[in-house]
Amino acid sequence: MTKDVYSVGVLNPNLRVFDIVMATDYGTSYNSYIIKDEKTALVETCHARYFDEYIENIRQVVNPEEIDYIIMNHTEPDHSGALEMLLSLCPKAEIVCSRAASIYLKKISNREFPVHVATDGEALSLGEKELTFISAPLLHWPDSMFTYLASEKLLFTCDFLGAHYCEPRMKDTCITHPKAYQKAFLGYYQAIFSPFSKYVQAGLKKMRALDVELVCPSHGPTLCKNGLLNQAMADYDQWSAPVKKERLTVPVFYCSAYGYTEELAEEARRVLKQVHPQAEVELYNIIEHPMDSLALKLNSADAFLIGTPTINRDAVPPVWQLLSHVDAVNNVKKPVAVFGSYGWTGEGVPAVCQRLATLKFKVQGDGYRAVFKPNEQELRDFSAFVEEFAQSLK
Ligand code: FEO
């Protein structure tokens, strides 16, 4: 990367799903770096599964026995999984990390190790070079920090400004498929950092206070000032900026097998518009829209309703799929009401109510259920249910 900074991470171009839920159409990389000076520091480790390749990469640069410090900016096991094995080969290495990271690492590696808890702004001399540790909490775990190498104007950011993207030459100036990279960069931000937007703003502010010409993240290409760094920071700034809303937004999501739950959804919209004429109230049949766009609408709404029929004593899979995209950080106490038609036993609505309550939404009562096609009385009862919900939004 520079005269004394080496990239020793592992490329994984064939990975197609990361962390169970993230599609990685362009693979990923587990980046790790060695800084050589009078003392030798290793920044991040690697996923345990790729240890054999990883240790060979390290050996091309240093004998592992010579590593003095292992800097862990973040401890999710894609960066720390190899630590347990690595420590057996690095007898004098001291781990440097945040306090939260020191706690997590004990349970990830299940072994004893010397650890130095770095405080915000603390410096560590490697000889001629000096590392500075900068607290960066919730980017994207409580353990996160940045490490700054002033002599190279280089910042190690772990996941921050990373991407699940893999090419043989892992520098922004060498990217041969820029559109694919931009897609991966945006997807990574949305999946990992969008719930933590105010912390993203704080992280950018800390970066701007430094003289940074090169960012070395732990996934995807490095970013330099003459390449994509400024644009990448501007993108993060834009994506994490607070959204100013002009109107109350209350979407109605639903699935409907025979149109009965859909009838309730349409009645919900009518009542919501009656109580809040200026509000944005859109109906979304869940199976007719891309799940990621519905998730954005759900997570950015002021409140929402969700309707499900009951099939096999449960809510239907598209409803569960949408709820699996809930941002559990920023939706606490968001008002929600659940409704649906059922034929026999009607477990779908209470199951969804329970799930939303677990996610700490403010759920209206026990929801509303109609049997098969809602009759006039049921529609009146449902209207009263929705009106109570709508009034609570004033
Ligand atoms: Fe790449 Fe949060 O781990």
Side-chain angles (χ1 to χ4, degrees):
M1 308 311 306
T2 68
K3 179 172 167 288
D4 297 310
V5 179
Y6 299 78
S7 172
V8 292
V10 171
L11 303 182
N12 191 352
N14 295 321
L15 190 79
R16 288 296 173 265
V17 180
F18 183 89
D19 255 10
I20 308 168
V21 292
M22 262 186 91
T24 49
D25 294 346
Y26 313 108
T28 195
S29 63
Y30 309 96
N31 303 350
S32 174
Y33 305 93
I34 285 174
I35 308 160
K36 276 186 163 179
D37 198 350
E38 289 167 28
K39 301 273 189 181
T40 299
L42 175 72
V43 180
E44 326 298 3
T45 70
C46 171
H47 195 301
R49 192 175 297 150
Y50 310 107
F51 181 75
D52 290 347
E53 183 178 344
Y54 177 54
I55 196 67
E56 283 312 306
N57 291 350
I58 290 175
R59 283 192 170 117
Q60 287 184 34
V61 179
V62 293
N63 179 342
E65 292 181 7
E66 294 169 11
I67 293 173
D68 298 284
Y69 301 109
I70 300 176
I71 315 296
M72 297 298 302
N73 287 312
H74 169 46
T75 60
E76 197 164 1
D78 52 321
H79 308 292
S80 67
L83 184 67
E84 181 187 356
M85 290 177 276
L86 185 64
L87 283 171
S88 301
L89 304 175
C90 306
K92 65 176 180 176
E94 182 177 35
I95 291 173
V96 182
C97 61
S98 68
R99 180 160 303 284
S102 70
I103 296 166
Y104 303 159
L105 284 175
K106 286 198 175 108
K107 281 306 296 168
I108 290 169
S109 65
N110 284 327
R111 59 174 293 166
E112 293 299 315
F113 49 80
V115 62
H116 176 80
V117 171
T119 54
D120 188 27
E122 183 179 337
L124 174 69
S125 173
L126 300 179
E128 290 186 8
K129 301 177 191 301
E130 187 176 84
L131 297 173
T132 306
F133 306 107
I134 297 151
S135 174
L138 290 170
L139 293 175
H140 62 119
W141 275 15
D143 61 355
S144 308
M145 66 178 192
F146 299 153
T147 296
Y148 183 55
L149 179 60
S151 57
E152 331 283 288
K153 299 182 179 177
L154 191 165
L155 189 68
F156 299 100
T157 57
C158 202
D159 286 335
F160 198 69
L161 296 169
H164 287 314
Y165 186 80
C166 190
E167 285 200 22
R169 299 172 298 168
M170 292 295 283
K171 293 184 175 182
D172 56 354
T173 49
C174 299
I175 290 172
T176 52
H177 300 282
K179 283 188 180 164
Y181 169 71
Q182 290 302 336
K183 190 175 163 203
F185 185 72
L186 170 61
Y188 190 82
Y189 176 87
Q190 288 175 333
I192 304 293
F193 288 107
S194 62
F196 303 101
S197 53
K198 72 177 177 183
Y199 298 94
V200 170
Q201 289 283 321
L204 290 171
K205 191 174 173 190
K206 289 189 176 186
M207 278 186 72
R208 289 190 202 105
L210 303 167
D211 187 4
V212 178
E213 294 194 352
L214 178 63
V215 161
C216 290
S218 292
H219 299 291
T222 57
L223 303 168
C224 69
K225 205 168 179 178
N226 296 325
L228 298 175
L229 178 56
N230 290 341
Q231 185 58 50
M233 290 178 68
D235 287 343
Y236 264 41
D237 193 21
Q238 183 190 339
W239 298 334
S240 62
V243 179
K244 289 192 185 109
K245 279 197 175 166
E246 305 290 325
R247 299 199 289 164
L248 184 73
T249 306
V250 190
V252 180
F253 306 102
Y254 69 94
C255 284
S256 189
Y258 301 108
Y260 305 150
T261 300
E262 188 169 47
E263 264 187 62
L264 295 173
E266 285 165 354
E267 179 64 5
R269 175 167 61 180
R270 188 189 69 74
V271 174
L272 283 163
K273 288 298 284 183
Q274 199 171 49
V275 178
H276 297 283
Q278 306 302 323
E280 183 180 321
V281 182
E282 297 291 338
L283 290 189
Y284 296 102
N285 184 340
I286 297 172
I287 63 170
E288 292 178 352
H289 300 269
M291 202 54 79
D292 53 353
S293 82
L294 291 179
L296 278 175
K297 291 180 189 307
L298 184 155
N299 288 321
S300 62
D302 297 298
F304 67 94
L305 287 96
I306 186 160
T308 180
T310 296
I311 296 181
N312 287 331
R313 294 189 168 167
D314 200 356
V316 292
V319 168
W320 291 127
Q321 200 184 348
L322 176 57
L323 294 183
S324 75
H325 287 75
V326 159
D327 165 358
V329 177
N330 294 304
N331 279 308
V332 173
K333 294 189 178 165
K334 182 179 281 187
V336 57
V338 187
F339 62 92
S341 159
Y342 69 97
W344 303 345
T345 46
E347 291 88 345
V349 167
V352 172
C353 285
Q354 188 178 24
R355 167 84 175 132
L356 289 166
T358 303
L359 290 168
K360 301 196 185 303
F361 282 87
K362 183 182 169 193
V363 183
Q364 166 140 322
D366 297 325
Y368 181 84
R369 296 184 296 173
V371 182
F372 284 117
K373 183 176 170 60
N375 61 27
E376 286 185 9
Q377 181 60 50
E378 285 171 318
L379 280 176
R380 277 197 294 276
D381 292 345
F382 181 60
S383 298
F385 172 81
V386 176
E387 178 155 2
E388 185 186 339
F389 180 68
Q391 294 291 355
S392 76
L393 305 178
K394 282 190 170 174

